[in-house]
Amino acid sequence: MQILSVTAEIFPLAKTGGLADVAGSLPKALQAHGIHTRSFVPGYPGVVRALSEASAITEFDNLFGERATLLAGRAQGLDLFVLDAPGFYNRQGPLYTDTHGREYADNWKRFAAFSLVGSQIARGLVTNWRPDVIHAHDWHAAMSLLYLKYAGDDSVPRVLTVHNLAFQGQFPAYYFPELGLPAEAYSIDGVEYYGDIGFLKGGLQAADAITVVSPTYAREVMSPAFGMGLEGVMNERHVDVVGIVNGIDLEVWDPSSDPYIEHHYSTRVPLRRLPNRQVLLRQFGLPNTCGPVFASVNRLTWQKGMDLLAATADEIVRNGGTLIVHGQGDEALEAAFMDLMRRYPQNVGVSIGYDERLAHRIHAGADAMLVPSRFEPCGLTQLYALRYGCVPIVSRTGGLSETIIDANDAALHAHVATGIQFTPIDKQGLRLALRRALRLYRLRRVWEGLRRQGMKTDCSWHRSAARYAELYSELLNPDMRLVRSA
Ligand SMILES: Nc1ncnc2c1ncn2[C@@H]1O[C@H](COP(=O)(O)OP(=O)(O)O[C@H]2O[C@H](CO)[C@@H](O)[C@H](O)[C@H]2O)[C@@H](O)[C@H]1O
């Protein structure tokens, strides 16, 4: 089976968050099911540079006003189609914003162009290659499904995965005439969205199947609190919505061979993990105390509950713990953490920025990983933490509630607990969770049990890749689908 994956990010070539990790690792996992994926990505400088054996498939003289070339090639074990359009993608800084963090004004055009070409690949633009299924990820790629639908071509089933409903690609309606869609596409069944145009909304209407990244999130998005304005569409399409938990790439995240960490370890030799803690504390200029090292590797945003962490960090400090924060995001939150570091130089270390290597080192060195998200479709940080023996402390929402087993009495007794979950998701909830963690950390055997159980957890793509494979097969054999849901 051949899949066309349409994605604006792909690890290790272009990443701002979890979307890249999933788009980069799912193709590898699908191979075991006889599924071959070709990923279509924008030609950011890092992507074009990494391409080997690149060949030009076709040229566009005027793609939304820019010249572009569709390339095919390989990079880092991935089979790629790349839209090389320097006017759109050859820019410095992050993928969607300028170096000052401002969204590019032409993002609507950058990703409409990308999506249009994605739909054309699905329709046979590349000689001798057509996918059996097109699988688009998030708002940047969602319109590829809508372009396909309005081209009147229903021969290729359309899957949309929503990694985070908070990012929707909403733009003023006056761009609609430039999208090259028929007039009827500006409607409730198409791209019209509260009087604007909504790229994700359009994709949701055009998809044959919609996946979100955990079953809990699939239920949550049906409500106004999590649906972010799209709960109506989600409810209307509920029969076609399915939640599939993300897996992680066990080769990229492997403490027994990780090139980014100094001391390798595994469940068989867990004590070898300890020196990584010392390396980490030294790197942040912090003393090596007997209290726990709490960490956070995250976007510094409201979604991730980082304001809650900034407001409760004193609980860690007062109880002899250490806090290490690595991330970037809202300026006010960056300033709040820098301020904490100035106030508590012996207990708080902060690094503002985005650094893959440091992220690995923190997972390998810290005792606990804090993920106090207000909502979290799946979350990957807590899965990496499990694998690295760093006990996750998570809010009870979305995929966090499904991937971490809370250290309650029954779970501890049955030796299945892997971390701490807390609710309500507010300052008091997090404060109490920190106190629980501090208490459990003092019970060394209990804490080691949590760590060990976490490291044994299967976070691989094994089960979830099978779910995607099953979904693709169902779409290609609709009879099978009817039998299943009967
Ligand atoms: N400062 C930093 N330096 C280096 N690396 C950093 C970093 N800050 C974050 N990262 C990395 O970025 C990724 C974040 O992935 P998450 O899944 O946790 O959240 P994100 O909101 O980006 O993803 C969205 O999509 C994913 C994928 O489906 C869902 O799991 C999630 O719930 C949803 O919000 C991880 O690989 C993490 O290590």
Side-chain angles (χ1 to χ4, degrees):
M1 191 189 300
Q2 300 285 330
I3 304 296
L4 175 65
S5 170
V6 187
T7 174
E9 299 188 22
I10 194 159
F11 182 85
L13 305 173
K15 169 170 171 175
T16 70
L19 161 64
D21 292 5
V22 172
S25 56
L26 181 57
K28 277 196 229 170
L30 287 170
Q31 278 171 15
H33 298 270
I35 295 172
H36 179 229
T37 307
R38 295 188 84 164
S39 302
F40 176 48
V41 291
Y44 312 114
V47 173
V48 176
R49 262 197 317 271
L51 267 189
S52 63
E53 303 155 40
S55 59
I57 306 259
T58 189
E59 305 215 337
F60 303 86
D61 290 335
N62 181 3
L63 181 66
F64 286 79
E66 296 293 334
R67 292 182 67 82
T69 309
L70 177 64
L71 304 172
R74 283 181 64 77
Q76 304 277 354
L78 299 159
D79 265 333
L80 300 175
F81 292 123
V82 174
L83 185 59
D84 186 18
F88 284 143
Y89 311 121
N90 187 2
R91 298 181 184 176
Q92 298 309 313
L95 308 181
Y96 317 117
T97 59
D98 63 19
T99 42
H100 302 289
R102 287 180 299 241
E103 299 268 324
Y104 289 127
D106 62 351
N107 270 346
W108 69 273
K109 215 194 293 188
R110 298 171 80 216
F111 294 104
F114 173 61
S115 292
L116 176 64
V117 176
S119 75
Q120 292 174 350
I121 299 173
R123 297 187 64 206
L125 183 66
V126 180
T127 315
N128 295 331
W129 193 83
R130 260 196 99 174
D132 296 297
V133 175
I134 177 171
H135 185 164
H137 296 266
D138 276 353
W139 73 266
H140 333 88
M143 289 283 282
S144 59
L145 308 187
L146 199 82
Y147 279 119
L148 202 51
K149 171 176 161 180
Y150 283 102
D153 187 342
D154 288 332
S155 62
V156 179
R158 307 184 280 260
V159 178
L160 177 64
T161 293
V162 181
H163 295 267
N164 192 339
L165 263 192
F167 303 108
Q168 303 186 354
Q170 187 173 353
F171 303 102
Y174 52 73
Y175 291 132
F176 178 74
E178 295 183 56
L179 292 177
L181 286 162
E184 74 252 33
Y186 190 73
S187 65
I188 192 146
D189 296 330
V191 76
E192 189 278 328
Y193 186 52
Y194 296 110
D196 283 339
I197 47 183
F199 280 18
L200 186 65
K201 189 263 178 175
L204 289 170
Q205 292 293 36
D208 296 305
I210 297 162
T211 78
V212 299
V213 289
S214 71
T216 301
Y217 193 56
R219 289 191 296 277
E220 289 172 342
V221 295
M222 302 295 165
S223 69
F226 293 90
M228 312 255 163
L230 283 167
E231 61 278 6
V233 181
M234 284 299 193
N235 275 285
E236 209 179 287
R237 302 289 329 264
H238 74 96
V239 175
D240 301 306
V241 177
V242 53
I244 305 177
V245 169
N246 291 330
I248 64 171
D249 188 326
L250 299 184
E251 285 172 18
V252 175
W253 290 89
D254 182 357
S256 70
S257 62
D258 188 331
Y260 292 145
I261 65 176
E262 282 186 26
H263 304 277
H264 294 136
Y265 60 98
S266 67
T267 34
R268 277 184 296 108
V269 279
L271 288 181
R272 291 209 191 138
R273 183 180 192 274
L274 211 55
N276 290 307
R277 185 185 194 269
Q278 282 135 26
V279 171
L280 180 65
L281 289 169
R282 212 179 310 126
Q283 182 169 355
F284 277 85
L286 293 163
N288 191 2
T289 64
C290 56
V293 176
F294 294 90
S296 165
V297 178
N298 230 332
R299 277 189 282 122
L300 304 183
T301 61
W302 183 88
Q303 176 204 336
K304 301 290 181 182
M306 295 307 281
D307 53 316
L308 304 178
L309 179 56
T312 47
D314 62 301
E315 191 71 42
I316 296 173
V317 174
R318 271 194 281 124
N319 288 287
T322 299
L323 174 64
I324 287 177
V325 175
H326 174 51
Q328 61 186 17
D330 296 350
E331 274 175 25
L333 284 170
E334 291 181 358
F337 283 109
M338 292 305 286
D339 186 48
L340 276 169
M341 183 167 67
R342 273 188 293 272
R343 283 210 332 254
Y344 307 115
Q346 296 297 304
N347 300 76
V348 178
V350 177
S351 150
I352 300 296
Y354 190 96
D355 181 344
E356 198 75 26
R357 176 190 170 93
L358 182 56
H360 283 240
R361 288 176 159 229
I362 293 175
H363 282 82
D367 295 301
M369 184 60 66
L370 294 162
V371 193
S373 308
R374 287 195 168 81
F375 67 94
E376 195 62 73
C378 178
L380 295 171
T381 315
Q382 83 280 9
L383 301 181
Y384 299 143
L386 285 176
R387 174 110 167 116
Y388 276 54
C390 179
V391 176
I393 299 173
V394 305
S395 49
R396 186 170 300 157
T397 184
L400 298 176
S401 63
E402 252 165 295
T403 52
I404 303 302
I405 301 177
D406 180 59
N408 60 42
D409 199 52
L412 283 175
H413 188 65
H415 303 289
V416 293
T418 58
I420 290 175
Q421 279 191 9
F422 71 90
T423 188
I425 308 171
D426 57 17
K427 285 183 220 163
Q428 182 64 358
L430 178 55
R431 197 174 281 282
L432 295 179
L434 291 171
R435 286 184 195 160
R436 268 180 87 196
L438 286 153
R439 209 175 316 120
L440 288 175
Y441 187 77
R442 282 193 288 271
L443 306 171
R444 297 304 303 178
R445 294 224 340 249
V446 177
W447 191 265
E448 283 313 314
L450 283 179
R451 198 199 287 287
R452 217 176 18 252
Q453 198 55 35
M455 289 184 78
K456 283 201 277 180
T457 302
D458 179 7
C459 299
S460 75
W461 270 109
H462 187 68
R463 273 172 298 154
S464 297
R467 299 285 319 279
Y468 279 108
E470 212 171 77
L471 176 68
Y472 299 151
S473 300
E474 285 175 5
L475 290 167
L476 290 168
N477 304 289
D479 297 346
M480 191 168 141
R481 200 163 192 214
L482 285 177
V483 173
R484 280 189 152 275
S485 52

